[in-house]
Amino acid sequence: MEAPLYPDFPLAPSTPPGGQPAFWVGPRHLAGDDGRLYDTVADTLAGLGWTSLTIVRGRHEPDETPEDRQVLRSTVLHISPDTLRWAQWSLADEPFHLGDLPIAWQISARAETSTPLAQWSAYFTPDVPGEAVADFLVALDARDQPAVPLAGLGLVLDAVAAHGWLRDIDQPHAAATDPTFTSHISLGEVPPLIQDADPRALTTEADEAGPAGWQAWAEPALGAPCLWAASFGASVPHDLVTAFATSLSSTAPVLRRVLPEATRDRLLRAPA
């Protein structure tokens, strides 16, 4: 069990005039998203030069003031300059669920502009550390061909093992967990509704295993609801998953003001 860096320092001291107090916390994979998952990722995309579009759906009555308009659903779409990759914030748009958690970000890429279909997609729920999603996007933006798979299946687990995660005894080449057995990453059958251009996703029979993709999640206690989950389609390049895994398992502390209730007692923390 991890303990606070300063056990005598209260977890929630009186809020200073400038807002909520900030802490340096770790491990990152249990630190949540600070309630800023959209802002963290959107700021990264803006810095990369991606364009953002907001789609608002609602009901507008004649002579109705803007503040009285009934907005039913809204989606924010960020598109790369070459339009080959995009990221969609869908939390307010009736998203489907992953591990009983709503999808917040869906990130996709296509091979060429002549087709509107994504070659692969990756999905992230709330409380996935924003730093890990941002690093995934930086790696995606740096790729000349975002939909071309590269070798490097073993790099994903090598990355987390370098940060102290433990390989699964039964599946050393396909799964690993952090030393507290709370967060996991594994290569296995992709959950339903995960979009991917792999033709096996369409031809797999009910009793057959579908294409394998990387999945990651944090389960604070055995049988407890997941804190967060991430799913990568079978065609997501392994080097991009490696960028996510490297950031997720990083031992560097992260700045947080909002700590997840499920893991706050397991976080190392120091006042910022």
Side-chain angles (χ1 to χ4, degrees):
M1 179 66 70
E2 294 169 299
L5 291 175
Y6 296 94
D8 296 329
F9 192 86
L11 178 61
S14 58
T15 302
Q20 292 177 290
F23 298 90
W24 288 109
V25 304
R28 180 178 301 187
H29 58 89
L30 298 181
D33 62 11
D34 204 29
R36 299 186 66 256
L37 185 57
Y38 175 78
D39 294 328
T40 299
V41 174
D43 289 348
T44 298
L45 294 175
L48 295 172
W50 289 35
T51 300
S52 63
L53 304 172
T54 302
I55 304 170
V56 178
R57 304 176 182 90
R59 184 178 294 108
H60 182 56
E61 301 294 339
D63 302 323
E64 184 180 39
T65 61
E67 56 269 20
D68 292 332
R69 175 179 295 187
Q70 300 179 45
V71 176
L72 302 181
R73 299 187 297 170
S74 62
T75 299
V76 183
L77 184 66
H78 299 257
I79 306 173
S80 66
D82 62 7
T83 72
L84 292 179
R85 50 212 109 191
W86 59 94
Q88 178 178 330
W89 173 259
S90 57
L91 194 60
D93 197 26
E94 299 181 2
F96 69 86
H97 285 62
L98 181 65
D100 293 328
L101 297 172
I103 297 297
W105 280 105
Q106 176 180 341
I107 299 169
S108 307
R110 57 182 176 174
E112 52 189 25
T113 58
S114 61
T115 174
L117 301 178
Q119 186 74 16
W120 58 258
S121 292
Y123 304 81
F124 306 90
T125 72
D127 275 324
V128 174
E131 295 85 356
V133 183
D135 287 341
F136 175 85
L137 282 162
V138 169
L140 171 61
D141 184 80
R143 254 176 161 260
D144 291 333
Q145 297 177 301
V148 176
L150 297 177
L153 177 64
L155 294 178
V156 177
L157 296 187
D158 287 346
V160 297
H163 290 155
W165 286 35
L166 309 173
R167 294 178 183 269
D168 187 275
I169 295 177
D170 298 321
Q171 304 178 80
H173 303 296
T177 183
D178 80 286
T180 67
F181 300 97
T182 302
S183 296
H184 312 264
I185 187 167
S186 68
L187 181 66
E189 186 175 355
V190 176
L193 302 181
I194 300 302
Q195 297 179 18
D196 195 88
D198 189 325
R200 293 175 299 165
L202 300 176
T203 60
T204 302
E205 299 293 337
D207 57 347
E208 295 178 343
W214 288 99
Q215 317 299 317
W217 68 96
E219 187 179 20
L222 186 62
C226 288
L227 173 63
W228 57 262
S231 183
F232 303 87
S235 298
V236 177
H238 298 304
D239 59 300
L240 298 182
V241 183
T242 299
F244 171 82
T246 300
S247 182
L248 177 72
S249 61
S250 172
T251 57
V254 290
L255 194 64
R256 293 289 187 269
R257 287 181 169 81
V258 180
L259 302 180
E261 288 289 341
T263 57
R264 59 191 296 152
D265 293 335
R266 309 181 72 167
L267 292 169
L268 295 160
R269 57 189 182 272

